[in-house]
Amino acid sequence: MYNDLFTIGKFTLHGYGLMIGIGFIVGLLVGLHIAKERGIEQNDVIDLALLVFVLGFAGGKLLYIITDLPDIISGKYTWRDLSNGFVVYGGIIMALVVALIFCVRKKIDYGAMGDVIATATALVQGFGRIGCFLAGCCYGVETDSWFHVTFTHSDYAPNNVPLVPTQLISSAANFLNFAVLMIAMKKFKKPGQVFALYLINYSIGRFIIEFFRGDLIRGQVGILSTSQFISIFILAFGLWFFYYNTKRNAEIKEAAE
């Protein structure tokens, strides 16, 4: 509700940045714990986490700009209007590519590392959406339901209008995804399955929540928002990756026997 938490001199602590920072630290600690249990070098997790954090943010910013490039060219939006924008899927796609390159160079099992990073990412996203709520970005459509939020000091969401609290719903969904993945860690022992489950869960949840988003600056592909369009492919990849890793690990087990 208030993105500027407090100011000391020229320094202002923003709620969005604080939540991202907390999420990254907590997510990294959880990731290191999972890596230790799964026999993955913790230094590799730290290195990849830092790469994913920095380049993932760049990917999210890039996709945000791409989705509204026609409006930028036409002059409807300026670069200044887009300076605070971010599309999570851009970060996820960039992270997938960065992680693949990292694992190939380090000769690390991509699925096993993906299980660690994906689980931690779900936790980070849960905190990140709380940051969105504090900033007022990623807001929902107007509603007359009792379940709503009304912003009064937001630079992004319409003020004094009851809106669907999409940020809080997304945060809860991401924390739920994290809990499901932690439980799945104990059930699915084959590398890559939990990673695939993250992609499946997130893509389905994101597709649904998009129907209730009110920030129309995110781009469209036909009747779908950009994120809904991407969700279809992420879901398909997640289902394939789960099947692939299940079959691959079964073949490895048979060969060993």
Side-chain angles (χ1 to χ4, degrees), residues 199-210:
L199 296 176
I200 294 169
N201 292 344
Y202 181 79
S203 60
I204 293 174
R206 184 59 186 270
F207 189 93
I208 295 172
I209 197 65
E210 284 290 303

Side-chain angles (χ1 to χ4, degrees), residues 65-118:
I65 292 173
I66 291 173
T67 57
D68 287 284
L69 194 57
D71 287 325
I72 295 174
I73 295 174
S74 68
K76 182 178 179 180
Y77 300 124
T78 66
W79 291 106
R80 183 179 179 82
D81 293 326
L82 301 173
S83 61
N84 294 314
F86 184 86
V87 176
V88 173
Y89 266 135
I92 291 176
I93 294 171
M94 179 67 80
L96 291 174
V97 175
V98 170
L100 177 60
I101 295 173
F102 181 89
C103 289
V104 169
R105 293 193 62 181
K106 288 278 191 175
K107 297 181 179 180
I108 302 171
D109 186 284
Y110 183 60
M113 181 63 85
D115 291 342
V116 176
I117 297 299

Side-chain angles (χ1 to χ4, degrees), residues 207 210-211 219-226 228-229 232:
F207 189 93
E210 284 290 303
F211 287 113
Q220 295 284 132
V221 180
I223 62 173
L224 302 177
S225 71
T226 301
Q228 285 179 319
F229 182 73
I232 296 172

Side-chain angles (χ1 to χ4, degrees), residues 38 69 99 242:
R38 295 222 161 184
L69 194 57
F242 188 91

